[in-house]
Amino acid sequence: MQASHEESLAPIPADDGERSLRQAIETFFFAYRAFTALPDRMLGEQGLGRVHHRILYFVGRDPGCSINELLHTLGVSKQALNLPLRELVERDLVGMTPDEHDRRIRRLCLTRAGEALERALSATQMQLLQEGFATAGTGAEQGWRAVMHRLIRCPDDGTPS
């Protein structure tokens, strides 16, 4: 019989380094799965996926960004971005306009419908984070941010620097 997620994530002695790190990997996996579950379900009802949410989120955070800036932020190829971005534009969730000074550059922004969808998707995640930080207590958010920022600074191949 397989242990539940909570049982497999039970505290372990601090001196068991590899086991502790494996537990951290599992915790990260299960937390990310829970973090994306409701937005994924909401997107799925509309025939959209997680990549659509990423586009909506980052265009919403940086209205007027160029497609190249979005590519850089997401760390994906033009091919990987092309279809989902086109779908969002066709569904009138993302607007695309030429740059004032260089007509070859396309600027992106969320439409009202895109803003509403992004807000609904992200609200579920913000609530999870808010509840998690409140439950974990003082210093939890600061510690979590420190770990996440350290992970972000790893090269794209994932090797520690």
Side-chain angles (χ1 to χ4, degrees), residues 75-115:
V76 299
S77 68
K78 285 182 182 181
Q79 284 181 309
L81 182 64
N82 185 41
L83 179 61
L85 180 57
R86 188 173 68 227
E87 290 171 339
L88 292 172
V89 170
E90 288 171 356
R91 291 174 181 230
D92 198 33
L93 296 168
V94 172
M96 187 183 312
T97 58
D99 183 80
E100 288 180 28
H101 305 290
D102 186 342
R103 310 287 288 167
R104 296 171 297 176
I105 297 173
R106 301 284 181 238
R107 298 284 173 191
L108 304 171
C109 64
L110 297 182
T111 63
R112 288 184 192 262
E115 287 175 353

Side-chain angles (χ1 to χ4, degrees), residues 32 50-66 69-76 81 85 88 94 108-110 114 118 122 125 152:
Y32 186 73
R50 196 171 295 161
V51 69
H52 296 96
H53 184 194
R54 288 182 187 130
I55 294 167
L56 290 167
Y57 180 83
F58 285 106
V59 169
R61 293 282 292 152
D62 188 13
C65 67
S66 70
E69 290 166 342
L70 183 60
L71 286 168
H72 177 73
T73 299
L74 296 176
V76 299
L81 182 64
L85 180 57
L88 292 172
V94 172
L108 304 171
C109 64
L110 297 182
E118 188 284 321
S122 294
Q125 294 178 322
I152 290 168

Side-chain angles (χ1 to χ4, degrees), residues 12-14 16-25:
I12 55 175
D16 190 351
E18 181 179 342
R19 187 168 174 215
S20 178
L21 291 173
R22 288 188 179 279
Q23 181 187 33
I25 290 169

Side-chain angles (χ1 to χ4, degrees), residues 7-8 29 40-41 45 48 52 54 57 64 86 90 99 104 114 117 120 124 150 154:
E7 291 169 351
S8 68
F29 171 79
D40 283 354
R41 192 168 36 249
E45 291 169 0
L48 300 172
H52 296 96
R54 288 182 187 130
Y57 180 83
R86 188 173 68 227
E90 288 171 356
D99 183 80
R104 296 171 297 176
L117 178 56
T124 66
R150 174 62 184 103
C154 284

